[in-house]
Amino acid sequence: MARDIVRLTSAGGIGVMSGRLSVENGGISAEAIDRRLRSESILRAEGVPILATLPVIETTAEALKRSKEEVALRTLCVLFVAAKGEGLGEELVEQLLESYELRPHLTPKELAFVLEKSPSQHDRIQFTWRHEAAWALLWALGFVAQLGKPSQICDVGFAAGTMAERTTSEFIEDAKLRPITDILDQADLIYRYHWAVRNARLRGQQVPAALDPGVTQERHHALNWLIGCGEQAWDHVTTDT
């Protein structure tokens, strides 16, 4: 799958301070530093470049603790719009929209796409890529065992099946939201993966360690939303590095 990835915020590929600084008693918290060090250890082992001055992310005290129901409903919405991007027929779109009662939970951009009878190829591609964001959300809900390195596209059939095999209430009931500490670990790690991807692209170099830029960006989007980074709504989540 091809995708436009244009939201670059690093300056010259070197990286900028994005305002993500966990502070306790006037300094960076030990929790945040330990999390960054663990991430950097993983990246080094995989041959992924790191930027030592890249800021830390939110701590458990600072991160938003979303409810299992909120995350589950967001996941169903993302899976739904990704399926439409893949070419889900209009009749089935209407049927699923009503049977899963998703209309109140779709974002403005998602609802506009869902209601568009003939979306552009560009929009279809963009929303199809949301499968990768859904994969991160499915991990957070315990449906996916491990995220792993963002180097290959997810199992779309499995992701779609988690929704198709359940009603909305069953999906919520079966979900087991992971602890915020685990979610923050992945949010910190994807933040640093994404810096490596963007740094390579800005320098005109090959993306390191076979990382997939689209997978990386979508996971970053989902994980930033999960922890409430910048208190941004789903449509406006940024993935600064």
Side-chain angles (χ1 to χ4, degrees):
M1 291 183 285
R3 184 175 183 185
D4 302 328
I5 301 179
V6 296
R7 292 176 290 174
L8 305 182
T9 57
S10 296
I14 303 302
V16 295
M17 302 296 282
S18 65
R20 300 186 73 153
L21 190 64
S22 301
V23 179
E24 290 181 7
N25 300 321
I28 302 175
S29 75
E31 176 197 336
I33 293 173
D34 287 346
R35 180 169 287 114
R36 179 176 65 188
L37 291 175
R38 291 196 300 272
S39 293
E40 290 176 346
S41 178
I42 293 170
L43 297 176
R44 287 193 184 94
E46 294 176 348
V48 178
I50 65 171
L51 179 66
T53 57
L54 200 64
V56 296
I57 70 165
E58 291 77 357
T59 63
T60 53
E62 297 161 338
L64 181 63
K65 284 79 171 177
R66 297 189 184 275
S67 70
K68 181 179 77 166
E69 181 176 5
E70 181 183 11
V71 178
L73 289 169
R74 178 93 302 266
T75 305
L76 289 173
C77 287
V78 176
L79 287 169
F80 177 52
V81 297
K84 164 135 185 180
E86 289 275 13
L88 197 66
E90 287 304 314
E91 184 176 341
L92 191 52
V93 165
E94 288 294 332
Q95 179 183 334
L96 294 177
L97 186 60
E98 298 308 318
S99 64
Y100 281 89
E101 301 179 317
L102 294 178
R103 188 183 293 265
H105 307 291
L106 292 168
T107 70
K109 287 183 180 179
E110 288 171 340
L111 185 58
F113 176 68
V114 166
L115 298 180
E116 176 59 55
K117 300 297 184 183
S118 301
S120 68
Q121 182 65 9
H122 175 270
D123 285 350
R124 284 190 180 278
I125 291 172
Q126 298 300 301
F127 277 98
T128 297
W129 269 100
R130 285 297 191 220
H131 277 118
E132 302 301 333
W135 193 254
L137 296 174
L138 287 168
W139 168 84
L141 292 171
F143 291 107
V144 170
Q146 294 182 331
L147 278 181
K149 187 172 70 171
S151 57
Q152 57 186 4
I153 61 175
C154 70
D155 185 339
V156 172
F158 176 85
T162 62
M163 179 177 181
E165 295 164 2
R166 298 169 174 87
T167 64
T168 297
S169 60
E170 289 170 342
F171 187 87
I172 295 171
E173 182 178 353
D174 289 348
K176 294 177 176 60
L177 187 62
R178 295 180 187 272
I180 189 61
T181 52
D182 292 354
I183 294 172
L184 283 166
D185 285 348
Q186 288 297 324
D188 184 88
L189 185 58
I190 200 68
Y191 174 43
R192 298 176 200 286
Y193 275 128
H194 209 174
W195 175 84
V197 168
R198 284 177 169 160
N199 183 58
R201 289 166 66 92
L202 287 169
R203 292 181 180 276
Q205 300 170 347
Q206 183 176 355
V207 175
L211 297 174
D212 186 294
V215 173
T216 303
Q217 177 162 309
E218 289 297 331
R219 286 193 192 175
H220 196 182
H221 184 115
L223 287 160
N224 271 1
W225 176 82
L226 278 166
I227 64 173
C229 179
E231 300 181 356
Q232 297 163 329
W234 179 267
D235 280 346
H236 305 291
V237 169
T238 56
T239 55
D240 295 351
T241 54

